[in-house]
């Protein structure tokens, strides 16, 4: 008889790891995490790491919440599935819609929000927004008004529509994306794209002027919506430059352009506020939520639409029929039950204030321990959404010649030393975004390990910079 395959071999022979370099993976093999508790993960060999990534910005309440597992199990026992088509519904879906709507209205100062639509992923939430803004304008009798403006460097998902909104060419290459009617404008990343001597305010004004020029060039009657994350995540951990969103929103209002706010990462306390929309005084027409909605204990996304959009949908659907968009798993009762319990934890343990406080502590500790490193250009962030930008030359803010090699090297060494960070794929930025439950002692431990890793690879970084 043939001996059973090891997990390692099964992985190599069967599992396709998305968004992973196939050749790198074959060389390094899988790290199989088998348990999680709080901010810590344990791999198949019993080695422990502190997860300063919260599994792609998801696990806001931390790992190993038995209470959430119990809620999922009892929801499954009671009613494992119900859909939302026709007049069907489930109690958790109704309760979550009500809770989410009121939470967002209150915490984002957004009384204009009116209805909740459920999906299962951030990508499908942005697909819903993509289709909704077209539908809205078609119902209003202006079919030409259908372009969506997004920012270069932004990440909004990988489906054909959301992947088109994503402003990173690597996600388009080979897939014949972006789709027509998607327009990209510059990324408001001040540290990277600010001109020498240009103030943050002047930079923000230049970004807004570019958006104005783009709207005028394309024709305002062809632009349906603008999409943005309050703080860019995958695009480099980029908080908006001061004044940027005020300028943007003024333009959108002038030209009757809907504002889609992608809060897939920023929602549910990540930035130190319940929502980025509240923090930066955004007035969305459509909000996309996922990840922290369930802390990834169950796949679930939500789109919240404003009264303005809802009113048109509601009024005209009486003549044109239903809004023919929705997924089998929209409002899955198990996911909605888990989301409700997850919101209880975030509110009950005051994790939003904790994110704000621990975020300040993390920033301070990183600045103090590696801020003087010649290859650390910028340490920035808000709440527990923190990034370190690496440069080969600090004074001239020059990138390493081999793009991405340097920060990946540090992250790899850090993982060996027991701290998981996320080296972003297309910028020399490493993201720190632990579960919001992280303590000062855990931050100290993680920063110490990371600083040690950076020290270890300094000779290689010098060689890469040369
Ligand atoms: N929007 C943003 C801002 C994201 O960060 C992500 C995922 N990283 C998505 C959308 C897509 O979410 P999903 O991977 O669940 O489709």
């Amino acid at each position: 008889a043939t001996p059973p395959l090891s997990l390692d071999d099964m992985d190599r022979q069967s599992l396709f790891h998305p968004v992973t370099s196939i050749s790198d993976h074959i060389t390094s093999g899988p790290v199989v995490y088998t348990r999680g508790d709080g901010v810590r993960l344990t791999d198949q060999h019993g080695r422990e790491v502190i997860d300063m990534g919260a599994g792609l910005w998801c696990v806001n309440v931390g790992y190993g919440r038995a209470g959430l597992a119990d809620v999922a199990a009892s929801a499954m026992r009671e009613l494992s599935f119900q859909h939302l088509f026709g007049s069907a519904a489930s109690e958790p879906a109704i309760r979550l819609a009500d809770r989410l709507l009121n939470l967002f209205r209150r915490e984002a100062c957004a009384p204009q929000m009116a209805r909740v639509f459920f999906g299962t992923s951030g990508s499908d939430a942005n697909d819903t927004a993509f289709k909704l803004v077209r539908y809205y304008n078609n119902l209003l009798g202006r079919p030409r008004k259908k372009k969506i403006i997004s920012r270069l460097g932004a990440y909004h998902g990988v489906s054909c529509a959301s992947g088109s909104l994503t402003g990173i060419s690597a996600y388009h290459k080979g897939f014949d994306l972006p789709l027509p009617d998607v327009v990209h404008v510059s990324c408001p990343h001040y540290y990277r794209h600010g001109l020498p001597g240009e103030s943050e305010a002047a930079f923000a004004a230049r970004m807004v002027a570019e958006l104005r020029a783009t709207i005028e060039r394309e024709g305002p009657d062809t632009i349906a919506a603008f999409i943005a994350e309050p703080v860019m995540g995958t695009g480099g951990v980029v908080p908006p430059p001061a004044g940027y969103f005020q300028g943007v929103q003024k333009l959108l209002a002038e030209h009757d352009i809907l504002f889609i706010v992608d809060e897939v990462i920023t929602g549910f306390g990540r930035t130190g506020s319940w929502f980025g929309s509240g923090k930066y005084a955004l007035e969305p027409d459509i909000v996309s939520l996922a990840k922290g909605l369930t802390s990834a204990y169950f796949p679930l996304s939500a789109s919240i639409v404003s009264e303005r959009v809802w009113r048109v949908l509601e009024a005209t659907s009486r003549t044109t029929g239903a809004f023919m968009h929705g997924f089998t798993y929209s409002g899955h009762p198990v996911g909605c039950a888990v989301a409700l319990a997850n919101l209880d934890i975030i509110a009950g343990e005051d994790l939003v204030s904790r994110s704000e406080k621990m975020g300040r502590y993390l920033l301070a500790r990183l600045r103090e321990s590696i801020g003087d490193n010649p290859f650390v250009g910028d340490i920035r962030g808000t709440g527990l959404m923190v990034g370190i930008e690496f440069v080969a030359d600090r004074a001239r803010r020059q990138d390493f010649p081999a793009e991405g090699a340097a920060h990946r090297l540090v992250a790899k060494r850090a993982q060996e030393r027991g701290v998981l960070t996320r080296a972003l794929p297309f910028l020399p930025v490493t993201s720190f975004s632990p579960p919001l439950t992280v303590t000062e002692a855990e931050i100290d431990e993680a920063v110490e390990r990371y600083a040690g890793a950076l020290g270890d690879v300094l000779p290689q970084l010098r060689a890469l910079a040369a």
Side-chain angles (χ1 to χ4, degrees), residues 57 121-124 126 155-158 229 234 262 264-265 290-291:
W57 294 281
S121 72
S123 297
D124 73 45
N126 286 329
Y155 185 86
H156 296 296
V158 291
E229 283 177 274
T234 308
D262 182 343
V264 168
I265 289 178
K291 300 188 189 275

Side-chain angles (χ1 to χ4, degrees), residues 37-40 48 50-52 354 358 361-362 365 418-419 434-449:
D37 184 24
V39 303
R40 289 170 204 270
E48 207 181 78
I50 300 179
D51 181 11
M52 293 297 277
R354 187 178 185 82
M358 289 300 124
Y361 185 73
L362 173 60
R365 290 291 288 115
V419 59
L436 312 186
T437 53
V438 73
T439 62
E440 285 188 359
E442 286 160 345
I443 289 175
D444 288 343
E445 206 179 338
V447 170
E448 198 176 304
R449 291 179 189 180

Side-chain angles (χ1 to χ4, degrees), residues 4 11 17 103 108-109 132 173 179 215 260 263 298 319 321-322 342 351 369 406 425 458:
D11 177 89
H17 288 256
L103 179 71
C109 304
L132 256 177
K173 218 172 97 190
L179 298 172
I215 294 170
I260 305 166
E263 293 239 31
F298 202 90
T319 48
N342 174 63
L351 295 183
S369 62
L458 218 47

Side-chain angles (χ1 to χ4, degrees), residues 188-191 193-207 241-244 397:
H189 186 339
Y190 177 54
Y191 177 78
H193 302 305
L195 301 172
E198 188 178 37
S199 71
E200 190 174 319
F203 173 71
R206 179 156 66 81
M207 292 295 101
Y244 171 76
R397 295 191 183 177

Side-chain angles (χ1 to χ4, degrees), residues 390 404-424 429-432 450 453-454 457 461:
F390 285 85
H407 77 305
R408 258 183 242 129
L409 199 68
V410 188
K412 186 160 182 289
R413 182 68 190 135
Q415 184 169 2
E416 288 161 6
R417 274 181 167 260
V419 59
L420 264 187
T421 55
R422 176 152 161 80
L424 296 179
V429 175
T430 291
S431 153
F432 284 69
Y450 191 80
L454 182 55
V457 300
L461 293 187

Side-chain angles (χ1 to χ4, degrees), residues 58-116:
C58 287
V59 189
N60 288 11
V61 300
Y63 296 99
R65 293 276 188 175
L68 292 182
D70 292 343
V71 165
S74 73
M76 269 185 215
R77 275 195 207 98
E78 231 161 80
L79 177 63
S80 57
F81 178 65
Q82 186 47 249
H83 64 88
L84 297 181
F85 296 171
S87 58
S90 72
E91 187 173 333
I94 296 171
R95 290 200 186 285
L96 180 61
D98 177 69
R99 172 101 174 252
L100 211 48
L101 191 57
N102 287 312
L103 179 71
F104 193 84
R105 282 177 178 154
R106 184 178 76 235
E107 297 297 337
C109 304
Q112 78 275 15
M113 303 318 276
R115 285 295 185 281
V116 177

